[in-house]
Amino acid sequence: MGSAANAGGAGLARAPRVVIQDATKQFGSKVALDGVSVEVTPGSFLVLLGPSGSGKTTLLRGLAGIERLTSGRIAIGDRVMDDGGRTHVAPEHRNLSMVFQDYSLWPHLTAVENVAFALKRLQLPKTEVQPRAQGLLDRVGLGGLGDRYPNQLSGGEQQRVALARALVANTGLLLFDEPLSNLDANLREELRIEISTLAREAGATSVYITHDQGEAFALGDAVGVLQRGRLVQYGTPEDVYYRPVNPFVARFTGLAGELDGEAEPGGAGPEAHAARVRLTSVEGAPVVGAASALGRSGTGRGKVLIRHTAARISAADASGSTIRGRVTDVAFRGRGYDHAIELVGEGRLVGVHDERRWSRGDHVGMSLDGTGCFFFPDDKVADDALT
Amino acid sequence: MSSPGPNREATALADEAIRPVGQFRRAAPGLLSLERVEAAVSAVRRSAGSIALWAVLAALLVVPIGAFLVQAVSPRLVGLGGPWFTLDNLAHALSGPTLRGLVDSLAVSSVTAVLCVAIGGSLAWGVHRTDLPGRRVWPVLVWALLLVPTFLTAEGWQYLLQPQGVLAQFGIDASGIYAVFFGPVGVVFVLTMSALPFAYVVVAASLLYLGPEFEEAARVHGAGPWQAIRIVIPILGPGLLSAGAIVFAETMSDFGVASTLAASAHFPVATYELFQAINNNPADFGLAAAVGWLLVASAAIPIAVQARALRGRTYAVASGRTRQATRIRLSPATRLVAFGATATLFSLALGAPLIGAFVASLLSGFGSEISVGAVTLDNYRAVLLGDTGLAQPLVFSTIMATLAAVVTIALGLPVARLLTNRSAGRVAKATDLVLLGSVALPGIVLAAGYIFAYNLPVFGAVGLNLYETAPLLVMGYVATALPGQTRLMVGPFSQLQDSLAHAARVHGSSALATWRRVMIPMLSRVLLWAAMLTFAKTLLELPVSQLLYPPGSPPVSVAINAYVAGYHYDVGTAMTVVALAEEFIVIVGALVLFALLAPRGWRRAIGPGT
């Protein structure tokens, strides 16, 4: 287990362990990063997920050495890189590479020169530089475009050059600053797969930041969610998706809707946390089965947060359907249809998937799968408005 | 594992890979803990660059000008005898000939500002918004105009018009025009022609940001093309006012016309009175500094006018993505008239004085009252080949201008970087303030400040005797050029995304190597233009040259003026033509060399005004 299993490729890089302890960064009176601690074992892929202003960019720039911490510590491998501003190792001495959101290719250098630039640090003989840079361009599928200048390349091609530049020197640590956010949707998926494969082939430790939960879940061995400068949850993608620690994390990673509910304390013993939750605002006050977040969050009145995948549509009179509603919108998504459903009583669910098309105005039944429903009491919901 | 996820193996792996680390308690630092000392040392080391930069700016601008200006009100503060505080010098400056000079300067500058905005603004409009013929040529001529110093324009017109002048040699009686020209009218005329580029550039820039939507809206709602212009002129208000303000400040601080045409016509203006105060024996630095105060203060007048005119109104028109405005199609007759007017304008501004100097330089014995000369190259032979030492000022100025250009660029780069560094905060603001203040500072005040400050006993005591040396002259040139050149560089610098430099650092390039391999190549075209401009402006710079040149080594502007003042028009004019030709050759030569020799990628770099 650990890094060895992960480094599927030739294991070229000496992937370092990254340890961030209590990292804090203030800009004037504004706290951008508030005591974040995380450890990344060699060769793993960490995605930091958060909205703008959550501190993820500051954390990544701190790791790169572009920003200095106000306090806290960053160590890469066995070397302390930043120690609350007392020690600060320059970016060029941290043996890392980075893919930038705006590509940041140097406009006065051709694609192959841009890649070769990152090889200077290895002080290779001149005859090796060009073939190696060209080889990386081949690997990202741009073999024929080495002579082009950045402004002669499309956005996707530029980002591939940037990826080649980050990979060429086999630095142990790869940083990704929202590299896909400026690209079209179909290109994004294509390049995401390439980043995922190439980074793992290189055997490097990777830290990737994004505000897109789909990207985070698809890429990361683990995901860290940042909220207002704090790391509020770490874990596997599945952990974050099925066991969000607070309403913010649940909302930020995608919900079909939120319904009023009331949790009842369960019995004693190991099942104590598996309380029952009654949906109070919809007709018939049905009970949701073992809602994932129960017990962690207490009892009483609150909200049930529902994942898209937890809601299923059936005919209005089908057995097993616990709540009923009316279809107000339907969107063809290729692999099926997303529906918006106005519930009988109060509440609305959106993005409810089904393979068949239900028509606008149809009366339908619905069932909720407890593993995708999270109950949070009212006080917690109020503190955690999505920011 | 209780995870319901489909990929248990990956999940387990990640659980292993990522472990939250417990929150670390920060140790409470002692009052003078080792950490604090280390932090302080590291902070100083980090700001070493800014500190060095500020030391240079202090030596170049803040200290000499500050000391000079302070001694007008407090001679004792800078180690001279006398009172701690006095207003005598200011009172003296506000009476007699200096008062008259100041009033003249204010009047001349106001009229010039209005004329320049009207003429330069119309030209900018014609070039950018109509199909005026020759609209690719006129902007080039505007730049050329910027490179011809005012004293040469003034002298060129004098060669043409004066009795026994060029026109007289060809039997044309210009004495009527000369009588009018030789005085305030001529001063305003020459300054208007010289300051036109400033008004043009500012108005052209605001036109560029003014999208076509206001004109289009006016047209759609029934206004004709000319009515649409009347709608847009008020919207351009801030641009026109700042054009006027810049022309006003430029004209107030002009020394070239002041020391030639105005001086010989006995029309005193403020900068020449300041020069006189220092040039008299004994020099009256108190009076000179008081006039300096008044000159600097006068720059506040147009700013106040501007603020008052714009009070409470907003004219934000730049919308980020502005479409190219469509050009107004002029009727054939209007085109012809507009072309004729523009051609006449440039003939008067550039053609006539240059032709005046050029023809005069080809006439033997020009300026002497006895002979109407034949066409000859003797004057050039004397300047270029003669053993009379006439070539020496040209050589000296070329060296000085080259040094000034190199040093200005070397200093301008870090300063521009500092000004565009968003995290630099207060240091950047203070630097900006010093440089902005110095843009409006007349060269003559700067030069006077140098004489005063670098003659202070403090410098002699530490063995630093810079006065009347070439290094001080170079410093003066750099101080004159630096504020403007940094402003020129700041625009392109701010276009460079920070991430381009960060990308270089992250991929293994040191700070110095990042400058060499990324920043300088990307800015190479801007730097080339800045260097060329500094070279050209310094080669024929007058006020600093006049006050600071080392004895026995007059720069070319001083030499030309000396010959002209001594009625040696023949050599003076030839030297003028040679110096202008050198400017032209150096600029064109540098551009050609860059095109031929610079690496292919450098030519894609950010250029001036992109």
Side-chain angles (χ1 to χ4, degrees):
Chain A
M1 273 306 180
S3 58
N6 216 17
L12 294 165
R14 302 146 314 282
R17 177 181 303 273
V18 176
V19 180
I20 298 167
Q21 291 174 346
D22 214 8
T24 298
K25 175 70 185 180
Q26 292 180 306
F27 295 104
S29 61
K30 194 180 166 292
V31 180
L33 208 56
D34 190 3
V36 170
S37 299
V38 64
E39 182 174 331
V40 196
T41 46
S44 65
F45 202 122
L46 168 68
V47 179
L48 294 168
L49 175 67
S52 64
S54 63
K56 57 186 191 303
T57 304
T58 308
L59 185 57
L60 195 76
R61 288 161 67 90
L63 208 47
I66 298 166
E67 216 79 72
R68 286 161 192 267
L69 295 185
T70 309
S71 67
R73 242 164 68 101
I74 292 174
I76 299 175
D78 46 17
R79 190 160 175 206
V80 175
M81 297 296 178
D82 195 326
D83 189 5
R86 285 188 292 278
T87 315
H88 181 262
V89 176
E92 66 268 24
H93 296 129
R94 297 188 175 202
N95 192 33
L96 49 83
S97 316
M98 185 159 165
V99 180
F100 291 79
Q101 181 174 14
D102 57 2
Y103 323 136
S104 297
L105 297 180
W106 302 294
H108 64 296
L109 301 179
T110 61
V112 73
E113 285 168 346
N114 262 283
V115 177
F117 187 103
L119 278 174
K120 286 261 158 77
R121 70 191 335 164
L122 298 184
Q123 297 179 326
L124 298 173
K126 265 205 170 134
T127 49
E128 281 181 38
V129 170
Q130 189 72 13
R132 193 156 160 184
Q134 185 60 47
L136 244 302
L137 280 182
D138 292 341
R139 273 177 75 186
V140 298
L142 292 180
L145 302 181
D147 292 343
R148 301 267 184 97
Y149 284 94
N151 66 353
Q152 298 169 325
L153 298 170
S154 71
E157 287 165 345
Q158 289 188 50
Q159 198 57 301
R160 278 165 199 276
V161 176
L163 182 59
R165 177 175 70 181
L167 291 167
V168 74
N170 272 315
T171 52
L173 178 58
L174 294 175
L175 305 180
F176 298 89
D177 179 7
E178 308 211 34
L180 305 180
S181 63
N182 285 345
L183 302 176
D184 298 338
N186 49 348
L187 244 157
R188 205 180 295 171
E189 180 62 6
E190 204 178 298
L191 203 57
R192 181 193 65 72
I193 293 169
E194 243 159 284
I195 287 174
S196 174
T197 335
L198 291 172
R200 286 177 168 90
E201 270 176 29
T205 307
S206 304
V207 179
Y208 186 110
I209 64 172
T210 180
H211 63 267
D212 181 324
Q213 92 277 5
E215 234 172 275
F217 291 155
L219 274 169
D221 294 329
V223 173
V225 185
L226 285 155
Q227 178 188 12
R228 293 196 209 103
R230 291 174 168 276
L231 191 59
V232 289
Q233 187 165 11
Y234 319 76
T236 62
E238 292 82 354
D239 249 344
V240 173
Y241 191 77
Y242 289 111
R243 287 185 294 280
V245 294
N246 65 21
F248 166 82
V249 175
R251 286 172 181 141
F252 194 65
T253 46
L255 290 179
E258 304 182 10
L259 300 177
D260 289 337
E262 190 169 5
E264 300 162 4
E271 294 298 304
H273 64 283
R276 293 153 26 104
V277 174
R278 187 183 304 280
L279 295 175
T280 52
S281 68
V282 298
E283 195 190 55
V287 168
V288 183
S292 297
L294 288 178
R296 284 200 210 177
S297 315
T299 55
R301 293 193 150 275
K303 282 251 188 287
V304 179
L305 277 50
I306 300 162
R307 291 278 189 223
H308 297 108
T309 48
R312 300 223 163 73
I313 310 181
S314 55
D317 51 0
S319 66
S321 72
T322 50
I323 52 180
R324 291 187 295 125
R326 193 173 53 87
V327 175
T328 55
D329 186 58
V330 54
F332 179 52
R333 296 291 188 201
R335 264 192 237 174
Y337 301 85
D338 281 352
H339 302 84
I341 293 164
E342 203 68 51
L343 300 178
V344 177
E346 200 185 312
R348 199 161 88 106
L349 297 176
V350 299
V352 182
H353 188 81
D354 199 31
E355 284 181 9
R356 64 161 282 198
R357 173 195 276 274
W358 297 87
S359 301
R360 290 185 183 84
D362 278 356
H363 290 275
V364 294
M366 300 199 69
S367 60
L368 297 176
D369 172 4
T371 52
C373 297
F374 320 115
F375 174 80
F376 294 99
D378 274 337
D379 53 337
K380 196 145 188 198
V381 174
D383 302 341
D384 246 337
L386 190 53
T387 46
Chain B
M1 284 301 299
S2 58
S3 162
N7 188 345
R8 281 166 190 282
E9 202 182 294
T11 312
L13 176 68
D15 274 346
E16 167 75 11
I18 317 290
R19 289 195 307 268
V21 175
Q23 301 279 311
F24 283 69
R25 286 276 126 242
R26 262 162 275 175
L31 209 56
L32 239 177
S33 66
L34 190 61
E35 283 93 42
R36 284 198 174 188
V37 175
E38 278 174 1
V41 169
S42 121
V44 168
R45 196 185 308 145
R46 249 180 288 157
S47 19
S50 316
I51 293 169
L53 212 54
W54 261 87
V56 172
L57 285 183
L60 280 179
L61 292 166
V62 182
V63 171
I65 296 160
F68 173 64
L69 290 179
V70 160
Q71 55 91 32
V73 286
S74 179
R76 196 144 187 187
L77 200 65
V78 288
L80 305 179
W84 282 107
F85 181 76
T86 172
L87 288 175
D88 289 356
N89 287 317
L90 272 172
H92 187 182
L94 285 172
S95 64
T98 46
L99 176 65
R100 214 200 121 191
L102 194 73
V103 171
D104 287 348
S105 277
L106 288 172
V108 163
S109 300
S110 307
V111 177
T112 305
V114 172
L115 287 175
C116 276
V117 171
I119 301 171
S122 310
L123 181 64
W125 182 275
V127 166
H128 291 279
R129 285 295 164 90
T130 73
D131 58 351
L132 174 71
R135 57 181 183 273
R136 289 190 193 288
V137 178
W138 307 128
V140 177
L141 292 182
V142 168
W143 277 95
L145 205 52
L146 201 59
L147 293 179
V148 179
T150 51
F151 76 91
L152 286 189
T153 314
E155 284 171 355
W157 276 101
Q158 279 182 274
Y159 301 144
L160 267 186
L161 296 177
Q162 69 194 4
Q164 291 97 37
V166 171
L167 289 180
Q169 303 285 356
F170 291 97
I172 302 165
D173 179 18
S175 56
I177 303 174
Y178 187 61
V180 179
F181 181 84
F182 197 66
V185 174
V187 170
V188 169
F189 175 78
V190 172
L191 285 173
T192 302
M193 294 297 123
S194 303
L196 259 188
F198 298 103
Y200 171 89
V201 167
V202 174
V203 177
S206 17
L207 276 176
L208 218 60
Y209 283 114
L210 178 76
E213 51 269 16
F214 299 104
E215 277 160 273
E216 285 168 3
R219 295 296 296 278
V220 167
H221 292 101
W226 300 108
Q227 276 176 295
I229 292 177
R230 281 180 41 207
I231 295 278
V232 173
I233 284 180
I235 302 176
L236 278 178
L240 298 178
L241 280 173
S242 59
I246 290 172
V247 171
F248 184 92
E250 276 294 323
T251 314
M252 277 305 285
S253 54
D254 170 80
F255 184 64
V257 179
S259 63
T260 53
L261 179 61
S264 46
H266 301 290
F267 177 69
V269 293
T271 46
Y272 194 68
E273 292 303 320
L274 193 159
F275 173 70
Q276 287 288 351
I278 295 171
N279 215 30
N280 282 341
N281 204 357
D284 188 347
F285 279 104
L287 178 62
V291 179
W293 274 111
L294 296 173
L295 277 173
V296 173
S298 71
I301 295 173
I303 293 171
V305 171
Q306 201 175 353
R308 200 180 152 75
L310 300 180
R311 196 172 40 189
R313 288 191 273 172
T314 164
Y315 286 86
V317 289
S319 57
R321 197 163 295 190
T322 317
R323 281 182 299 137
Q324 184 75 46
T326 44
R327 293 178 183 278
I328 294 176
R329 284 176 178 278
L330 302 175
S331 69
T334 321
R335 267 168 71 94
L336 199 69
V337 172
F339 179 80
T342 315
T344 309
L345 175 68
F346 279 102
S347 311
L348 292 176
L350 207 55
L354 293 189
I355 290 170
F358 185 63
V359 173
S361 72
L362 291 174
L363 297 176
S364 70
F366 178 76
S368 64
E369 301 203 3
I370 10 170
S371 69
V372 178
V375 173
T376 172
L377 287 176
D378 282 353
N379 301 327
Y380 288 96
R381 213 165 284 136
V383 168
L384 291 174
L385 306 170
D387 50 4
T388 48
L390 285 174
Q392 196 249 347
L394 268 174
V395 174
F396 181 68
S397 279
T398 304
I399 297 170
M400 293 290 107
T402 308
L403 284 174
V406 171
V407 176
T408 303
I409 297 303
L411 282 176
L413 262 177
V415 172
R417 174 83 188 117
L418 178 71
L419 293 184
T420 50
N421 185 355
R422 273 170 300 158
S423 61
R426 269 170 296 178
V427 181
K429 280 211 187 86
T431 313
D432 203 19
L433 210 65
V434 166
L435 290 172
L436 211 57
S438 313
V439 173
L441 192 79
I444 191 81
V445 175
L446 183 105
Y450 268 50
I451 294 184
F452 174 79
Y454 287 100
N455 264 326
L456 285 177
V458 193
F459 290 99
V462 294
L464 208 60
N465 294 306
L466 284 172
Y467 180 54
E468 293 192 325
T469 65
L472 192 70
L473 183 60
V474 173
M475 280 173 66
Y477 287 149
V478 171
T480 316
L482 189 65
Q485 295 303 341
T486 24
R487 294 246 77 82
L488 190 75
M489 281 189 241
V490 158
F493 246 99
S494 52
Q495 284 186 311
L496 279 189
Q497 292 143 326
D498 279 352
S499 64
L500 289 170
H502 292 151
R505 296 295 299 276
V506 164
H507 290 105
S509 169
S510 70
L512 210 63
T514 302
W515 274 103
R516 190 166 49 78
R517 289 162 59 196
V518 174
M519 305 295 276
I520 289 176
M522 284 194 298
L523 291 165
S524 53
R525 281 180 57 204
V526 179
L527 298 181
L528 180 75
W529 275 100
M532 288 307 102
L533 268 180
T534 310
F535 177 87
K537 291 295 258 184
T538 308
L539 190 71
L540 284 161
E541 198 278 346
L542 185 60
V544 171
S545 309
Q546 183 78 59
L547 263 65
L548 296 181
Y549 74 91
S553 302
V556 68
S557 55
V558 175
I560 290 172
N561 275 346
Y563 288 123
V564 171
Y567 298 102
H568 295 292
Y569 292 127
D570 42 7
V571 195
T573 54
M575 202 181 268
T576 302
V577 173
V578 171
L580 285 173
E582 183 186 335
E583 260 188 15
F584 179 78
I585 290 166
V586 167
I587 290 176
V588 172
L591 293 178
V592 168
L593 283 179
F594 184 80
L596 291 178
L597 299 180
R600 204 156 57 101
W602 289 31
R603 277 170 268 152
R604 318 182 72 85
I606 297 171
T610 52

